[in-house]
Amino acid sequence: MNPSKRAEIFSRLKAQNPTPTTELNFSSPFELLIAVLLSAQATDVSVNKATNKLFPVANTPESMLKLGLTKLKSYIKTIGLYNTKAENSLKTCKILIDKHNSEVPNDRKALEALPGVGRKTANVVLNTAFGEPTIAVDTHIFRVSNRTKLAPGKNVDEVEKKLLRFVPDEFKQDAHHWLILHGRYVCVARKPRCGACIIEDLCEFKDKTEY
C-alpha cells in the first residue's frame, strides 16, 4: 500500500470521527489503567458494567487497596480471569503508592513493570491518558492492518512497528482509536461489512463482501 492511500484512509476516518476515544469509562489515569487491565480478553461493555459500580467506591490506589481482595473480586467477578485481575490490580495499587506517589507514571518502563500490564496496556494508557502518539495493537487492529494491507505483519509487535512507521504523523495520536473502532464495527472478524465501509475502495482485501 502506498503512502498516499494510507493518508487518505486516515483522512476519511478522521472526517467520520474527528475526536475518537476509548469506549472504556474512566475519569482519571488510574481509572483508565485499571479498566484496561480488566479488559484483557473481555469486552469494554462488560468492563464498564463492573467499573460503573467499582469506581464510585474505589477510584484511587489507596481506596482500592483498602477494599481487599475478596471485596474487589465481588465487583469484577462478571469479567473473565477476574481472580488474576483482582490480584494484579491490588499489587499495582501497592506499587503506585510505594513507588509513584499514588500517581500513574507517564513512562513506558514504569508502566510495564506493573503486574498485569504489558506493552499493549502501557500503549493505551500512554496514548489515552497522556496524549502520547503510541499505537496499541489488539486483535481488531491486528486484523484491520493485515486485511486492508495497511500494515501487514506476522505478530502484534511487527504490526505496531509498521504502523508507527507508516501512519502519517498528523494521524498518529488517534490512529489506535480509529482502527479499533473500525475493526469492532465495520471490518469485523467473521464477515467484514465492506458494503458499509468508507475506505472500501482504498482497502486491498481481495475477498470483499457486499454487506
Side-chain angles (χ1 to χ4, degrees):
M1 183 176 286
N2 62 47
S4 61
K5 215 185 246 191
R6 288 192 191 99
E8 179 60 21
I9 282 173
F10 285 104
S11 291
R12 291 188 194 178
L13 292 173
K14 182 176 183 176
Q16 184 187 51
N17 185 1
T19 53
T21 189
T22 179
E23 293 188 317
L24 290 168
N25 295 337
F26 74 98
S27 59
S28 69
F30 176 72
E31 286 188 1
L32 176 67
L33 173 63
I34 296 299
V36 179
L37 199 153
L38 295 176
S39 73
Q41 296 176 45
T43 65
D44 288 0
V45 172
S46 69
V47 173
N48 287 338
K49 277 183 184 172
T51 58
N52 285 348
K53 292 176 182 174
L54 171 64
F55 289 157
V57 297
N59 68 344
T60 64
E62 289 84 359
S63 57
M64 194 163 286
L65 204 55
K66 197 174 176 183
L67 267 187
L69 192 59
T70 305
K71 199 78 186 286
L72 178 56
K73 282 182 183 180
S74 73
Y75 280 101
I76 66 169
K77 63 186 178 186
T78 53
I79 300 172
L81 308 173
Y82 75 93
N83 284 311
T84 304
K85 289 174 181 178
E87 288 174 12
N88 284 337
S89 295
L90 292 185
K91 287 176 188 171
T92 286
C93 288
K94 186 83 169 61
I95 293 170
L96 292 178
I97 294 165
D98 293 346
K99 293 189 176 179
H100 302 290
N101 201 28
S102 298
E103 298 290 331
V104 175
N106 181 3
D107 176 81
R108 176 184 297 285
K109 196 173 175 185
L111 284 168
E112 289 185 18
L114 298 171
V117 177
R119 185 175 180 85
K120 185 179 78 173
T121 298
N123 274 337
V124 173
V125 173
L126 289 168
N127 177 272
T128 308
F130 300 115
E132 300 284 335
T134 58
I135 302 176
V137 179
D138 71 343
T139 53
H140 296 299
I141 294 177
F142 184 78
R143 180 175 65 254
V144 171
S145 298
N146 275 288
R147 190 183 268 163
T148 61
K149 303 294 187 287
L150 177 69
K154 294 188 181 82
N155 54 56
V156 291
D157 290 340
E158 208 173 293
V159 169
E160 182 188 336
K161 282 175 189 168
K162 285 192 177 179
L163 285 170
L164 288 172
R165 194 161 83 239
F166 294 152
V167 175
D169 287 345
E170 64 185 293
F171 301 117
K172 272 202 182 106
Q173 173 63 45
D174 293 318
H176 162 78
H177 295 301
W178 284 319
L179 293 176
I180 202 169
L181 292 169
H182 192 67
R184 190 172 283 164
Y185 297 111
V186 182
C187 197
V188 294
R190 288 189 181 176
K191 190 178 181 185
R193 300 177 57 225
C194 301
C197 178
I198 60 165
I199 60 167
E200 183 191 5
D201 57 314
L202 303 167
C203 167
E204 295 179 6
F205 179 52
K206 291 193 175 109
D207 303 313
K208 288 187 176 138
T209 67
E210 290 180 10
Y211 171 61

